[in-house]
């Protein structure tokens, strides 16, 4: 049972890392290269779509890591799992305090109502997102290390 939990948690966090890595290093670069208002429209749509999914994924990943840490408390890799869970807590706090407020504004923007500094706000979101990606990559790496 513990092995299934370990694998499921690692895969869940790994998929989240893949999505967020893709947003940071693929999708946003594609959006930036689009003509005229397409960048802003794509980011607004992405904010609505992923903004509805990612809270469950982040919290779910944290809960899974926490359960793994508790159930496997006496295992060798528990310290790695606890540290990974701590990093996932950091990613949730970062999301709530830094990224979600910008995303909540951005997902309502249209070319007609967006603020003059919308690109600056998106660049700020991108910078915070790069840090969050690094945090969840570190958490994922620790979970993988705990498996071996």
């Amino acid at each position: 049972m513990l092995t299934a939990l370990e694998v499921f948690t690692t895969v869940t966090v790994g998929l989240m890392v893949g999505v967020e890595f893709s947003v940071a290093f693929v999708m946003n670069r594609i959006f930036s290269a689009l003509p005229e208002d397409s960048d802003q429209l794509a980011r607004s749509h992405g904010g609505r779509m992923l903004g509805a999914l990612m809270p469950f994924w982040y919290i779910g990943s944290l809960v899974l890591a926490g359960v793994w840490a508790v159930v496997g408390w006496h295992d060798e890799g528990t310290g790695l799992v606890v540290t990974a869970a701590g990093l996932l807590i950091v990613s949730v706090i970062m999301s709530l305090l830094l990224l979600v407020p910008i995303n909540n504004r951005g997902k309502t923007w249209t070319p007609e109502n967006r603020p003059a500094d919308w690109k600056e706000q998106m660049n700020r979101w991108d910078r915070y997102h790069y840090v969050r990606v690094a945090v969840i990559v570190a958490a994922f790496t620790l979970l993988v290390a705990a498996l071996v």
Side-chain angles (χ1 to χ4, degrees):
M1 173 81 167
L2 179 59
T3 302
L5 174 64
E6 293 168 344
V7 170
F8 184 73
T9 302
T10 304
V11 169
T12 300
V13 173
L15 290 170
M16 181 176 71
V17 166
V19 168
E20 295 292 35
F21 188 90
S22 176
V23 167
F25 298 103
V26 178
M27 299 309 299
N28 285 346
R29 292 181 184 200
I30 290 170
F31 296 162
S32 293
L34 294 173
E36 299 175 21
D37 295 325
S38 298
D39 177 17
Q40 185 264 306
L41 292 169
R43 282 177 173 263
S44 292
H45 182 67
R48 287 187 299 275
M49 192 176 82
L50 290 174
L53 171 66
M54 297 316 284
F56 298 103
W57 211 337
Y58 273 83
I59 299 297
S61 295
L62 173 57
V63 168
L64 286 168
V67 171
W68 177 358
V70 170
V71 172
W73 187 250
H74 298 290
D75 288 354
E76 241 178 74
T78 302
L80 297 172
V81 177
V82 170
T83 304
L87 289 171
L88 291 172
I89 289 170
V90 168
S91 75
V92 168
I93 291 170
M94 285 182 66
S95 297
L96 292 172
L97 296 179
L98 302 173
L99 290 114
V100 168
I102 297 170
N103 190 62
N104 283 343
R105 288 190 304 271
K107 68 185 182 182
T108 65
W109 294 339
T110 66
E112 294 77 31
N113 74 358
R114 66 185 179 214
D117 71 338
W118 75 273
K119 283 189 180 185
E120 292 170 28
Q121 291 189 54
M122 290 296 97
N123 288 336
R124 187 176 323 116
W125 187 93
D126 288 346
R127 289 190 304 274
Y128 293 149
H129 185 64
Y130 293 142
V131 174
R132 181 174 63 178
V133 169
V135 169
I136 64 174
V137 165
F140 175 65
T141 302
L142 290 171
L143 292 175
V144 170
L147 288 175
V148 285

